[in-house]
Amino acid sequence: MTAGTIAIIVIDSSDIPVGDVYELGIACSVFGAPQPDLATTWYDLKLCAPQPSSAAPGGGFSLSTPFGLGELATADTVIVPSVPDAVVLEEQPLSAELIEALRAAADRGARMVSLCNGAFALAEAGLLNGRRATAHWMHTATLAKRYPEVEVDDSVLYVDDGDVLTSAGLSAGLDLCLHLVRRDLGAMVANQLARRMVVAAHRPGGQRQFIDLQVPFSDGDSLAPVLQWAIERLDEPLTVDDLARQAGTSSRTFFRRLQSVTGTTPLQWLLNQRLARAQMLLESTDLSIEKISEQSGMGSATNLRRHFQAHVGVSPRDYRRAFPGRLSGGSVGIAA
C-alpha cells in the first residue's frame, strides 16, 4: 500500500469563502500532516491554484501557494474540495485551463476526487458521465439537471467508483478522505487516524447523508454503549434480539432507532464491523483465514471470502499480501 502525491485544487486562492474552508481543511488535515508512527510514508500534499496568489482576502481567506495546475500532471490523486457558489448558480464559469487540467490528469490515470460541490468541476470536465456520483444534498438536484449524463445519488455519504470518487458535503468529506486512507494504507492506519481526529473510524459510503430525526434522542438514549458492547463481542453469533436485549428495548424499537441514527440496519452494521475487524487482523497478524473468520464473527472462511470479495473488492489473501510487515501470530486489540 502506498500514499503518493495529492493535489488539492483551490479554484480562487485570492478569496476563499468562509463556508468553503471546512472541506479544504478536512483534506489538509487528513493528508497534509505526516503520521510517521502510523505509516513509514505519508502523502505528499500540494495545494494548487489556477493562478498562484498571495492577494488579500475579499471577505474570506487568501492562500499563498507556489503550486499551479501544472502539478496535476504528476499527482496520483486530484481533489476538488469545492467550487465557488457562483459556479453552482451558473453566474461564473470554470476556467478552460482548469477543465483541461482535470481531463488530462484523469486521462493519465490519476484518481479524481470531489468533496461537496466540487463534483460540479468533475462533471463539467465530463469525468462523471455515465457514472454514479453524489454531492451535498442541497446541490444534487442542480447537478442532476445540469449534467443529465451523470447518475446522481442524493442519498449517500460518498460514492467510490474506483478511479473517481465523490462525496456529500461537510462531515461526509471527512468520511471519504478516511476511506481513501483506508484504501491506500489499510484499515488499521485509517482507524488510528480517525481515533486521533476523534471521529467515527468508518462510515460506509452507502449510509444516508440526510437523516431526519423527528424526535431527537437524549443522552440517556444513546446507542453508543450497546454498539461498543457488540464490537467487543464480534466473535459471538450476535442477533438483533441480542442487541435489543442489551439496549433494553424491543427488537422492533432497536431496529428503528439504529436505522434512524446510522442509516443502516442492525445486521448490515454488524457485517460492516466484522469486515473491519477482519481487515485489521489480515493487516496485523499471521492468523489463518479460518481463525480470522472466527475472531471476526464471519463464521467460516468461505463466508469471509464471499463477503470480503463483495465489499472490499479483493480476496482476503490478496488483501493480506499488501501488508508484508505483519506481526507474528496472535491478535491485536481493537480500539473503538
Side-chain angles (χ1 to χ4, degrees):
M1 295 285 182
T2 59
T5 301
I6 299 260
I8 299 178
I9 299 176
V10 183
I11 292 177
D12 186 355
S13 60
S14 64
D15 187 9
I16 306 171
V18 173
D20 289 347
V21 174
Y22 188 84
E23 284 85 4
L24 174 60
I26 282 173
C28 290
S29 296
V30 171
F31 303 114
Q35 307 286 340
D37 57 326
L38 298 184
T40 54
T41 60
W42 202 250
Y43 299 89
D44 179 14
L45 180 68
K46 296 181 179 180
L47 293 172
C48 305
Q51 295 180 339
S53 170
S54 58
F61 295 86
S62 65
L63 169 71
S64 178
T65 176
F67 303 117
L69 295 179
E71 300 296 333
L72 274 62
T74 56
D76 299 293
T77 301
V78 175
I79 300 178
V80 185
S82 66
V83 299
D85 286 343
V87 171
V88 177
L89 298 173
E90 292 191 278
E91 297 172 351
Q92 170 187 329
L94 292 167
S95 71
E97 180 186 12
L98 170 62
I99 297 305
E100 181 55 37
L102 290 172
R103 289 172 179 163
D107 289 344
R108 182 180 52 78
R111 183 171 58 184
M112 310 300 291
V113 179
S114 67
L115 311 181
C116 195
N117 66 13
F120 282 82
L122 299 189
E124 184 66 24
L127 305 183
L128 301 183
N129 290 349
R131 293 179 181 265
R132 182 166 159 263
T134 193
H136 192 291
W137 61 269
M138 293 181 66
H139 302 307
T140 48
T142 302
L143 183 68
K145 182 178 180 181
R146 190 176 306 172
Y147 304 101
E149 294 183 45
V150 181
E151 182 185 343
V152 178
D153 189 338
D154 64 357
S155 67
V156 296
L157 295 177
Y158 58 85
V159 175
D160 181 344
D161 198 24
D163 56 343
V164 178
L165 302 92
T166 55
S167 87
L170 300 174
S171 61
L174 178 55
D175 291 317
L176 178 53
C177 288
L178 288 172
H179 173 71
L180 290 172
V181 174
R182 182 177 294 268
R183 271 184 47 171
D184 296 339
L185 300 173
M188 179 168 287
V189 173
N191 289 351
Q192 291 302 315
L193 179 60
R195 183 175 176 83
R196 290 180 180 181
M197 301 181 76
V198 198
V199 296
H202 183 214
R203 289 201 298 171
Q207 286 192 28
R208 288 179 291 169
Q209 62 169 287
F210 179 68
I211 301 172
D212 187 7
L213 294 178
Q214 296 180 353
V215 181
F217 296 118
S218 67
D219 290 342
D221 291 322
S222 171
L223 292 177
V226 68
L227 297 184
Q228 180 60 37
W229 177 87
I231 287 173
E232 294 170 357
R233 293 164 176 80
L234 290 177
D235 58 335
E236 301 176 13
L238 298 175
T239 65
V240 177
D241 289 342
D242 294 330
L243 298 175
R245 191 177 304 111
Q246 182 66 22
T249 68
S250 68
S251 296
R252 179 177 297 181
T253 298
F254 180 81
F255 186 103
R256 184 173 61 252
R257 285 180 58 192
L258 183 67
Q259 190 167 45
S260 69
V261 171
T262 69
T264 190
T265 67
L267 291 180
Q268 185 60 52
W269 181 86
L270 276 171
L271 176 60
N272 293 336
Q273 300 305 313
R274 285 173 166 151
L275 287 171
R277 170 71 62 82
Q279 284 181 283
M280 293 185 71
L281 292 174
L282 287 166
E283 294 173 21
S284 59
T285 77
D286 285 324
L287 293 172
S288 68
I289 302 300
E290 289 75 13
K291 194 66 176 176
I292 288 176
S293 68
E294 294 175 8
Q295 292 197 10
S296 62
M298 298 302 290
S300 68
T302 299
N303 198 40
L304 173 61
R305 291 187 185 99
R306 178 167 62 86
H307 285 291
F308 208 88
Q309 185 73 50
H311 292 83
V312 182
V314 296
S315 70
R317 198 171 304 279
D318 286 342
Y319 184 85
R320 166 170 270 174
R321 289 194 183 104
F323 298 91
R326 298 185 302 278
L327 301 175
S328 297
S331 75
V332 292
I334 308 298

